[in-house]
Amino acid sequence: MLFAPTLLSLALGLLQTAGQGAVATSQVDATEVGLEILAQGGNAIDAAIAVHFALAVTYPYAGNIGGGGFLLYRDAEGEAWFLDFRETAPAAATSDLYLDDDGRPIAEASQVGWKAVGVPGAVPGMWDAHQRWGRLPWSDLLKPAEELARGGYRIGVREASRLKNYGQAMREDVIAREIFFPQGRALQVDDLFQQPKLAETIGLIREQGVSVMQHGDLVDDIVRASEAGGGILQSEDFANYRPALREVWSFAWDGREVLAAPLPSSGGIFLQQVLFTLEGTPFEVWGFDDPRSIQFLGEATSAAFRDRNAWLGDPASLDFDPLDLVDTEYLRSRRRSLGSSTYTPPSRSLPSPPMEHFETTHFSVVDGDGAAVSCTTTLNGAYGAKVMAPGGFVMNNEMDDFAALPGTANQYGLVQSKYNAVVAGRRPLSSMCPVIVVENGKVDAVVGSPGGPTILTSVLQVLLARYSYHMSPEASMAAPRFHRQDLPPQVQYETERLNSAQKEALRSFGQPLRLRKRLGDVNAIFRTKSGWEAIADPRYSGSAGEVQNSVSSETGIPQ
Ligand code: GLY
């Protein structure tokens, strides 16, 4: 185990240090791995790659080898990049893949089992990031994950309860049953969880690189398992998968630069729309607790979700310029149309589906040279498709992020359009929204979250708390959240977000409400006067810390 950085982080947490680096993740071993890589002189990309593989071992609920994600990188010189390693629809995917004979969607088919699996991009993505920007040898970055898989780690309360609550369907899968339900009982708190098969797989990837996920025994085994389980993956899908380097979605906000995710994420467009809609309104003056702020923000997010669902998808599917959606005249007219004490109902009515749980994970890294990584990675549903690859890792069910039948709801209640229809080779529309905020030419915050569509509103609210309401980093993270996404129409709120008077006011506007236990699991890093402050979401038992980065700048302040 790698304890030194954690101790160091306690000592350095609030000190201004030359070349200080920081890491925030949802899992303590993964954070320690990231800090250790920084302490060895790795850069932010190195630490991110090591964290990504560590999470595949210690956070199997969402951390992954069988999934994909987005990595936003701003290098020490201030150039920014967006690496899309999201899953892709297999070549054999067709628009009726998840429809019954009468043309109705079969939800289960796109959510559970091999048919729900998209071509994973995690290993090609990490490999590509390393080839472009890595500093330490690839092999050094995967070693900690391999050791964690071989030596094992103690199952925590969160993992045990997730397995109990969401992992039951994995009992149907022979490999998953053996790994997560040894002797027929689910892993319990404090069980030593060793994953020799996964250690072997990571060892192979460590030695042979991306080719392990492109062709050869592992790919053949996965394709055979997929065929046996009714899936459509073929060897060519793995050979042909390529991560995409895309232009960062960046925009100005109140004197800052926001670096965010482009399509196939809805993140950048969503944030730009909502932040522009709020500009010039009394939103800040009303204050965080005023029902008018809550209602106006909810109306703005609801309108942005309407656009998201109607217009967005893989950029290759669009027949218009997505910049039209952030046209200032268009958004000014929206601003004028929204009220702070009125409620705009959705254009149609559908039953509200049960809300899915957090199934994605986000981590943030900065290094001693001021480079930053904001990375959100996912299996989509909890434990993805609830099937495991013969290499000992969980496979995604990202195909459910497509609109199985445009106009009907997916597991998050999102009703999406033809632009997000199932098409071979396309990537499904995402809500994952890694963000880096730049102020005075320097990274000021690195933010992201899991939570399906609530990612968008969670990230947004941390930014508003920090920059519009001038809260401290801790208060910005702790501030209770709410979520509104057009359909379902409720303001979904954390208990502490709304007191009785606020609820009464919102109801008097006509706004339906719904209680949610927690929204988001944000892992963020903020610049403060005394150095980087890495914070894991106080709602959960995540982990964050700072460390002296041995390859440092000369300036004595974080860059
Ligand atoms: N799988 C969650 C998302 O991409 O939005």
Side-chain angles (χ1 to χ4, degrees):
M1 280 306 103
L2 306 156
F3 291 115
T6 303
L7 296 177
L8 194 53
S9 77
L10 292 177
L12 295 178
L14 293 173
L15 296 179
Q16 181 166 304
T17 54
Q20 184 192 8
V23 178
T25 86
S26 286
Q27 205 278 334
V28 63
D29 298 295
T31 297
E32 289 183 356
V33 164
L35 291 171
E36 174 70 24
I37 294 294
L38 290 179
Q40 287 170 17
N43 62 17
I45 287 288
D46 293 328
I49 292 167
V51 165
H52 184 98
F53 280 100
L55 287 168
V57 177
T58 60
Y59 203 72
Y61 177 72
N64 64 80
I65 286 176
F70 299 137
L71 184 146
L72 175 63
Y73 175 48
R74 186 178 188 269
D75 68 21
E77 283 71 48
E79 197 160 352
W81 315 84
F82 185 83
L83 189 65
D84 163 4
F85 57 99
R86 186 156 173 77
E87 300 88 330
T88 300
T94 51
S95 59
D96 60 355
L97 189 60
Y98 304 113
L99 305 183
D100 65 17
D101 292 344
D102 298 323
R104 285 185 301 246
I106 318 165
E108 178 99 336
S110 60
Q111 292 172 13
V112 182
W114 281 97
K115 207 173 182 179
V117 178
V119 186
V123 175
M126 292 302 107
W127 177 259
D128 195 83
H130 185 257
Q131 296 285 303
R132 290 177 191 280
W133 307 299
R135 180 190 285 158
L136 296 183
W138 170 256
S139 168
D140 292 6
L141 308 180
L142 274 68
K143 216 172 177 121
E146 188 182 341
E147 284 168 4
L148 279 164
R150 186 161 291 116
Y153 64 95
R154 297 277 164 197
I155 292 286
V157 174
R158 193 177 179 188
E159 190 69 42
S161 86
R162 281 173 162 172
L163 208 46
K164 187 160 160 253
N165 293 333
Y166 315 118
Q168 292 305 324
M170 288 198 294
R171 283 181 188 270
E172 304 293 313
D173 183 84
V174 179
I175 304 173
R177 190 164 61 228
E178 222 170 81
I179 293 176
F180 290 106
F181 301 87
Q183 282 99 46
R185 103 195 205 299
L187 290 164
Q188 312 277 310
V189 177
D190 275 344
D191 281 355
L192 181 67
F193 186 31
Q194 291 170 304
Q195 301 171 81
K197 193 71 218 167
L198 181 56
E200 205 179 299
T201 300
I202 295 173
L204 278 178
I205 300 170
R206 184 167 70 74
E207 284 162 15
Q208 297 172 25
V210 70
S211 63
V212 174
M213 283 299 277
Q214 290 175 323
H215 43 75
D217 291 349
L218 180 61
V219 170
D220 293 345
D221 288 349
I222 293 175
V223 169
R224 264 195 297 276
S226 169
E227 278 166 4
I232 57 167
L233 292 169
Q234 300 167 347
S235 327
E236 295 73 37
D237 290 321
F238 291 83
N240 294 336
Y241 183 92
R242 295 286 178 276
L245 193 65
R246 301 192 189 275
E247 198 177 326
V248 175
W249 191 277
S250 66
F251 58 94
W253 175 44
D254 212 9
R256 295 169 207 99
E257 188 186 13
V258 178
L259 307 178
L263 293 170
S265 168
S266 50
I269 292 173
F270 177 91
L271 285 181
Q272 187 171 357
Q273 280 202 341
V274 177
L275 292 172
F276 187 89
T277 306
L278 297 179
E279 260 177 39
T281 70
F283 175 77
E284 289 181 31
V285 181
W286 289 330
F288 179 79
D289 284 326
D290 193 299
R292 289 172 296 180
S293 308
I294 297 168
Q295 191 59 20
F296 191 76
L297 180 57
E299 288 279 300
T301 61
S302 178
F305 265 105
R306 271 197 290 283
D307 274 357
R308 176 204 187 277
N309 298 341
W311 297 108
L312 302 186
D314 185 311
S317 73
L318 267 51
D319 51 10
F320 62 94
D321 186 346
L323 284 172
D324 292 351
L325 294 169
V326 290
D327 173 73
T328 48
E329 263 324 299
Y330 173 62
L331 293 176
R332 275 196 194 105
S333 141
R334 169 174 300 174
R335 185 191 294 151
R336 285 192 294 272
S337 75
L338 300 180
S340 57
S341 56
T342 49
Y343 161 67
T344 310
S347 48
R348 66 177 104 192
S349 148
L350 283 177
S352 301
M355 283 296 149
E356 256 296 322
H357 294 267
F358 306 135
E359 62 307 285
T360 297
T361 191
H362 177 86
F363 56 89
S364 297
V365 182
V366 289
D367 67 25
D369 294 327
V373 169
S374 189
C375 183
T376 313
T377 174
T378 189
L379 289 166
N380 196 23
Y383 302 103
K386 315 316 196 247
V387 291
M388 279 190 99
F393 51 88
V394 178
M395 298 301 288
N396 71 83
N397 65 346
E398 214 65 50
M399 293 299 283
D400 193 60
D401 269 349
F402 282 112
L405 178 65
T408 59
N410 72 355
Q411 66 180 335
Y412 303 112
L414 295 170
V415 181
Q416 303 169 99
S417 74
K418 64 175 184 179
Y419 297 109
N420 194 28
V422 181
V423 176
R426 291 269 162 92
R427 296 185 183 180
L429 179 60
S430 173
S431 299
M432 292 189 292
C433 188
V435 164
I436 296 174
V437 179
V438 178
E439 214 168 54
N440 302 320
K442 294 175 181 173
V443 172
D444 198 66
V446 187
V447 184
S449 177
T454 70
I455 293 172
L456 298 169
T457 45
S458 297
V459 170
L460 171 71
Q461 284 169 94
V462 171
L463 298 185
L464 292 173
R466 178 75 179 134
Y467 295 106
S468 300
Y469 293 125
H470 311 289
M471 293 185 196
S472 68
E474 291 82 4
S476 307
M477 295 285 284
R481 302 176 188 136
F482 73 93
H483 172 76
R484 190 170 154 208
Q485 67 175 43
D486 181 46
L487 192 67
Q490 297 92 353
V491 158
Q492 300 164 35
Y493 64 98
E494 293 184 315
T495 318
E496 305 78 14
R497 187 65 181 92
L498 299 181
N499 60 29
S500 329
Q502 289 163 326
K503 279 189 247 180
E504 202 175 307
L506 293 177
R507 285 198 186 103
S508 78
F509 304 154
Q511 175 62 59
L513 304 176
R514 179 175 178 180
L515 184 64
R516 285 290 293 269
K517 203 168 169 191
R518 297 185 189 103
L519 290 165
D521 180 11
V522 178
N523 292 312
I525 300 173
F526 300 90
R527 175 187 294 276
T528 70
K529 286 199 181 79
S530 46
W532 295 118
E533 197 167 339
I535 308 181
D537 201 309
R539 287 157 184 76
Y540 293 98
S541 55
S543 155
E546 300 87 22
V547 68
Q548 186 74 25
N549 199 181
S550 64
V551 176
S552 66
S553 67
E554 298 298 307
T555 57
I557 53 167
Q559 297 300 290

